């Protein structure tokens, strides 16, 4: 009961910061509910050497056949470890989650130290720069309040909205365009560089999310979904977005291409001379 009350208060506290359209929340919530089983396809394998480097006693082999559950258990295991760790150990664990687990190896020691200090701050600074890295640290510091924001999650959110706009189920004026960090999935990258780019979405009538406000808006959206869907954690919502990412990106590109073709055919039919 105490955890539910704390979650409710956190939802209300975030709600005071800004407003997201009810239509967008409904679109995202409907998508998450419809694809909750997608976490079973969550595929984020970690190398054996990385597990050896972790050194916190996490029984990763216990979940070798269920990577989704492994991810959930890992985050809560590291949150517990973080709570009693000294600064040096937090830096080591933060480096591990960003580099060994996340595959991002471009951060300096000083950068990681800055992320660790922010993670332990009452109100962490959340600029767009470094968002794929520091959000991983926030997500192990407190999985009940923070979620990872990366290329796949961002692309999913943009694609889900674009699909419903294409289907006339969501007004462009109710939609938000999120900048998408660089990633490694080809379908996500193709979407990011074309239909899913903020400038492209803005031309369709989406409101641009200020880059340094993106993590706050993202957190608000996930918490709004969580507050409306009982039984799902932020981590599970994020995992649905992550696991599903290539599919809505491909579907959105296909839908916008088909709509563009239909529009051209309609215009040609109205103007035979053309």
């Amino acid at each position: 009961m105490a955890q539910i009350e704390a979650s409710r208060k956190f939802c209300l506290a975030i709600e005071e910061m800004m407003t997201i359209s009810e239509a967008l929340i409904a679109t995202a919530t409907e998508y998450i509910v419809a694809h909750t089983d997608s976490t079973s396809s969550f595929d984020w394998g970690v190398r054996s050497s990385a597990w050896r480097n972790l050194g916190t006693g996490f029984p990763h082999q216990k979940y070798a056949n269920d990577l989704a559950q492994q991810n959930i258990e890992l985050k809560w295991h590291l949150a517990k470890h973080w709570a009693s760790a000294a600064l040096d150990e937090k830096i080591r664990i933060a480096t591990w989650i960003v580099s060994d687990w996340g595959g991002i190896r471009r951060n300096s020691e000083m950068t990681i130290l800055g992320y660790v200090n922010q993670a332990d701050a009452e109100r962490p600074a959340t600029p767009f720069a470094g968002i794929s890295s520091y959000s991983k640290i926030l997500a192990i510091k407190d999985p009940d309040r923070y979620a990872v924001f990366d290329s796949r999650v961002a692309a999913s959110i943009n694609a889900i909205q674009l699909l419903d706009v294409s289907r006339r189920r969501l007004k462009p004026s109710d939609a938000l365009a999120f900048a998408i960090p660089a990633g490694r999935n080809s379908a996500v990258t193709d979407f990011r560089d074309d239909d899913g780019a903020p400038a492209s979405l803005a031309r369709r009538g989406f409101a641009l999310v200020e880059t340094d406000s993106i993590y706050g808006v993202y957190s608000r959206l996930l918490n709004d979904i969580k507050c409306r869907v009982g039984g799902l954690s932020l981590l599970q919502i994020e995992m649905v977005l992550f696991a599903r990412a290539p599919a809505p990106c491909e579907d959105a590109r296909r839908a916008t291409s088909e709509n563009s073709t239909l529009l051209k055919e309609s215009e040609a039919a109205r103007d035979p001379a053309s």
Side-chain angles (χ1 to χ4, degrees), residues 8-273:
R8 185 190 71 81
K9 288 181 178 178
F10 185 57
C11 289
L12 292 174
I14 294 180
E15 189 167 329
E16 293 174 357
M17 294 193 308
M18 59 161 298
T19 300
I20 297 175
S21 74
E22 286 295 326
L24 170 51
I25 297 168
T27 285
T29 300
E30 181 180 345
Y31 186 88
I32 294 298
V33 170
H35 296 94
T36 50
D37 60 348
S38 295
T39 56
S40 62
S41 63
F42 182 85
D43 185 14
W44 192 256
V46 179
R47 302 186 317 277
S48 297
S49 59
W51 287 124
R52 288 194 297 271
N53 291 339
L54 178 55
T56 61
F58 178 67
H60 65 94
Q61 293 180 329
K62 179 179 178 180
Y63 310 101
N65 295 322
D66 188 346
L67 295 183
Q69 191 61 34
Q70 183 186 80
N71 183 51
I72 293 170
E73 298 294 339
L74 172 65
K75 297 292 173 60
W76 284 109
H77 166 84
L78 292 178
K80 183 177 180 180
H81 188 77
W82 184 283
S84 60
L87 178 59
D88 285 351
E89 179 64 359
K90 289 179 179 180
I91 293 170
R92 189 185 74 81
I93 295 303
T95 301
W96 185 88
I97 199 67
V98 172
S99 179
D100 291 84
W101 184 84
I104 302 174
R105 299 180 174 84
R106 59 180 177 269
N107 294 291
S108 68
E109 291 182 9
M110 289 302 295
T111 297
I112 293 293
L113 172 60
Y115 292 156
V116 169
N117 288 334
Q118 284 301 314
D120 278 339
E122 183 177 350
R123 293 189 175 183
T126 54
F128 186 73
I131 196 169
S132 295
S133 294
Y134 72 69
S135 65
K136 291 176 174 59
I137 300 172
L138 290 174
I140 63 167
K141 193 266 183 179
D142 190 349
D144 211 29
R145 295 186 65 176
Y146 302 110
V148 174
F149 184 92
D150 60 13
S151 61
R152 290 175 65 129
V153 169
S156 273
I157 295 172
N158 283 358
I160 291 164
Q161 295 179 88
L162 185 54
L163 276 170
D164 265 17
V165 167
S166 298
R167 296 164 179 162
R168 301 184 185 278
R169 297 176 58 188
L170 178 68
K171 295 178 181 178
S173 58
D174 286 326
L176 297 176
F178 290 80
I180 303 174
R184 290 173 284 182
N185 181 274
S186 59
V188 168
T189 298
D190 289 345
F191 179 71
R192 171 184 182 262
D193 294 341
D194 191 6
D195 297 305
S200 176
L201 295 174
R203 286 193 293 272
R204 297 177 185 275
F206 285 44
L208 289 171
V209 180
E210 175 66 33
T211 52
D212 285 344
S213 298
I214 281 176
Y215 192 76
V217 176
Y218 166 68
S219 296
R220 163 68 200 280
L221 178 59
L222 262 60
N223 273 278
D224 277 330
I225 296 170
K226 178 184 174 183
C227 291
R228 286 160 176 74
V229 182
L232 284 183
S233 66
L234 290 188
L235 178 53
Q236 289 170 306
I237 295 168
E238 173 226 308
M239 288 170 63
V240 171
L241 294 170
F242 180 93
R244 287 282 304 166
C249 287
E250 292 170 349
D251 290 345
R253 294 194 73 199
R254 188 179 306 111
T256 53
S257 176
E258 290 171 356
N259 286 349
S260 177
T261 299
L262 289 173
L263 179 61
K264 290 178 181 177
E265 292 175 350
S266 176
E267 291 173 345
R270 289 197 301 269
D271 185 10

